[in-house]
Amino acid sequence: EPEVTQTPSHQVTQMGQEVILRCVPISNHLYFYWYRQILGQKVEFLVSFYNNEISEKSEIFDDQFSVERPDGSNFTLKIRSTKLEDSAMYFCASSPRDTEQYFGPGTRLTVT
Amino acid sequence: KQEVTQIPAALSVPEGENLVLNCSFTDSAIYNLQWFRQDPGKGLTSLLLIQSSQREQTSGRLNASLDKSSGRSTLYIAASQPGDSATYLCAALNTGGFKTIFGAGTRLFVKA
């Protein structure tokens, strides 16, 4: 069964460094999403992406964040200058249309 | 601004019991509502999706209902098993840019 994959599974970085989290959505899916979950807290929406552009973004998704679909398979989330409070689990999701979302296993980002 | 609330926050039941998890949302302009399961330290597994035009969906021992007018959804689990122990999340996908808002979840423990 097709699934969403994410790399790396765990990323440790120093404050102020740039990180890129990678996701491979399910092929033929059209909608892509990034979420984050700080330990012990709710899953929070970051951004939705469709037709090569951002559909909607949350207040969390400020100028430090960007998303890109550089080719036909990858979907990336870049954080330009990481802060301690960016430490969280980041989930990528995709859906075939505006329907059921399928989540990847997540990337645990630790900022020191 | 959409807010999603789940009650109870935690639930402990003996094996075999039928149970109901509740989800309420403040903005009825949703596109769909999705229920997920999250095991500790893991990603999200989709359980059921209810489109805004639907009233309920069933999958095996799970049944989810949606009442848009009252801003409520319930997840019914029949004949609970220890393997059902997990956190159950509901998420409302809003019309427009598909911003998805999650509840904080109900942590379920089924005792053998």
Side-chain angles (χ1 to χ4, degrees):
Chain A
E1 187 171 322
E3 55 185 24
V4 177
T5 59
Q6 291 186 242
T7 54
S9 57
H10 190 193
Q11 172 97 46
V12 181
T13 189
Q14 288 191 327
M15 198 166 50
Q17 295 296 304
E18 173 184 288
V19 293
I20 297 177
L21 309 183
R22 291 184 166 80
C23 168
V24 179
I26 295 172
S27 66
N28 83 346
H29 280 195
L30 302 175
Y31 295 78
F32 313 107
Y33 308 81
W34 281 102
Y35 298 86
R36 79 174 186 190
Q37 186 176 33
I38 296 170
L39 188 63
Q41 296 188 25
K42 281 187 182 188
V43 175
E44 300 174 288
F45 171 86
L46 293 178
V47 66
S48 58
F49 191 87
Y50 169 71
N51 203 25
N52 280 321
E53 60 182 27
I54 290 174
S55 298
E56 187 149 2
K57 56 186 180 180
S58 71
E59 317 76 56
I60 303 167
F61 195 90
D62 61 20
D63 292 344
Q64 293 300 310
F65 291 86
S66 62
V67 289
E68 197 177 33
R69 190 156 160 79
D71 52 43
S73 58
N74 290 284
F75 181 49
T76 62
L77 174 70
K78 182 195 288 186
I79 308 175
R80 287 191 182 80
S81 178
T82 50
K83 304 177 210 149
L84 293 176
E85 54 265 37
D86 293 328
S87 294
M89 183 76 92
Y90 287 80
F91 293 108
C92 170
S94 69
S95 62
R97 296 181 305 280
D98 42 4
T99 53
E100 189 169 8
Q101 293 183 41
Y102 296 85
F103 277 65
T107 292
R108 180 169 300 284
L109 177 65
T110 302
V111 183
T112 61
Chain B
K1 181 184 170 184
Q2 179 74 277
E3 291 180 8
V4 178
T5 304
Q6 291 187 246
I7 52 172
L11 184 62
S12 180
V13 299
E15 182 177 6
E17 256 195 31
N18 302 324
L19 54 102
V20 175
L21 308 182
N22 296 290
C23 171
S24 61
F25 47 93
T26 55
D27 185 352
S28 62
I30 62 169
Y31 206 89
N32 61 46
L33 189 134
Q34 195 167 351
W35 283 91
F36 295 87
R37 168 187 174 135
Q38 185 174 32
D39 292 285
K42 304 287 187 183
L44 280 66
T45 302
S46 178
L47 298 173
L48 287 165
L49 172 87
I50 313 177
Q51 297 284 10
S52 62
S53 57
Q54 298 174 322
R55 299 283 293 187
E56 65 178 274
Q57 283 287 330
T58 298
S59 175
R61 294 182 294 108
L62 305 179
N63 175 278
S65 67
L66 175 65
D67 183 344
K68 273 184 61 176
S69 60
S70 67
R72 292 182 187 174
S73 177
T74 60
L75 179 68
Y76 175 83
I77 303 176
S80 57
Q81 303 169 358
D84 294 331
S85 298
T87 296
Y88 290 80
L89 305 173
C90 71
L93 185 140
N94 283 11
T95 55
F98 306 134
K99 184 174 186 178
T100 307
I101 304 300
F102 277 80
T106 293
R107 196 176 324 134
L108 173 66
F109 179 63
V110 182
K111 297 172 284 189

